[in-house]
Amino acid sequence: MRLKTKITLSENELVHAILTRERNGAEALYDMYSSSLYGVIFRIVQHEEIAEDLLQDTFIRIWNSFSSYDASKGRLFTWMVNVARNIAIDKTRSKEFRNRAKTEDIENNVLIVDKQINSKINPETIGLKDLIGKLKPEHKIILDLVYFEGFTHVEVAEKLEIPLGTVKTRLRNAIITLRKVFN
């Protein structure tokens, strides 16, 4: 098995290769700048999977809008960092990203508390089952499936035949309601 060597070109050679749509231009672009651009994106979104997707979007945008690059206004790297930064900032401003962050915060808090306790808790001893019984039925069933039966959000969505986003929203609303009781 032969390892692929990274392609490096001078900035002028790279610009020419991209403008003429040469394959080695795309490969060199990725080899030379992927780790730096990933770092910029990750620093903004703080999530590996999202950063990887945005890195791919960044390279596509760079490739497709390269004609807007003007060497007289600055270095290629600076232009590419701005493209990556703008894509990452746009993502953090999206409704989908903000909602995902809220849901993940709730899930992470539950996991942290569970790890800190590090023991089997009987929900009956703190009256949790009684409190959950007072929730709206659509919230109660999701909470039961996720936290007491161990279903994933996707499995709950499939079982109840509702969208995944609805599962996450109802779960978040149930936890917010319970949090009000405990606070």
Side-chain angles (χ1 to χ4, degrees):
M1 183 173 156
R2 187 173 165 221
L3 294 175
K4 181 185 176 284
T5 57
K6 288 190 172 191
I7 299 173
T8 57
L9 301 173
S10 70
E11 188 169 308
N12 289 337
E13 291 171 329
L14 182 60
V15 168
H16 176 71
I18 294 171
L19 285 172
T20 57
R21 299 291 203 213
E22 296 174 20
R23 179 187 171 112
N24 74 330
E27 291 175 5
L29 180 67
Y30 185 84
D31 288 348
M32 294 169 62
Y33 296 106
S34 61
S35 61
S36 298
L37 295 177
Y38 176 82
V40 169
I41 294 166
F42 182 78
R43 204 170 319 126
I44 294 169
V45 298
Q46 298 290 311
H47 195 281
E48 286 181 28
E49 186 177 305
I50 294 172
E52 290 168 0
D53 288 343
L54 294 178
L55 179 64
Q56 182 178 350
D57 294 346
T58 298
F59 280 113
I60 291 169
R61 179 147 331 145
I62 288 169
W63 187 259
N64 290 335
S65 65
F66 197 75
S67 59
S68 67
Y69 168 66
D70 184 355
S72 67
K73 292 183 179 178
R75 292 186 48 222
L76 174 62
F77 180 71
T78 305
W79 179 77
M80 291 190 302
V81 165
N82 284 327
V83 170
R85 189 177 146 277
N86 290 340
I87 287 174
I89 289 171
D90 287 349
K91 182 67 172 181
T92 62
R93 290 178 179 165
S94 73
K95 186 176 182 179
E96 167 205 354
F97 185 85
R98 289 191 313 261
N99 286 341
R100 178 183 182 141
K102 289 176 188 174
T103 303
E104 283 181 355
D105 285 347
I106 291 168
E107 289 173 10
N108 290 339
N109 287 338
V110 169
L111 290 174
I112 289 168
V113 168
D114 193 37
K115 286 179 183 175
Q116 287 174 343
I117 293 172
N118 199 20
S119 66
K120 188 99 174 147
I121 293 178
N122 181 357
E124 295 303 320
T125 61
I126 60 172
L128 191 56
K129 282 278 193 184
D130 293 336
L131 291 173
I132 290 172
K134 295 176 183 175
L135 291 173
K136 293 180 182 176
E138 64 267 17
H139 293 168
K140 180 189 176 307
I141 190 165
I142 291 173
L143 206 63
D144 282 339
L145 290 171
V146 171
Y147 291 107
F148 296 116
E149 295 185 33
F151 281 66
T152 65
H153 295 176
V154 172
E155 290 169 338
V156 172
E158 290 170 357
K159 180 175 176 76
L160 300 179
E161 297 179 348
I162 58 175
L164 179 59
T166 302
V167 169
K168 291 182 180 219
T169 300
R170 289 179 182 173
L171 182 60
R172 181 169 38 92
N173 289 339
I175 291 172
I176 289 169
T177 302
L178 290 175
R179 189 181 294 153
K180 288 178 185 173
V181 171
F182 283 108
N183 288 338

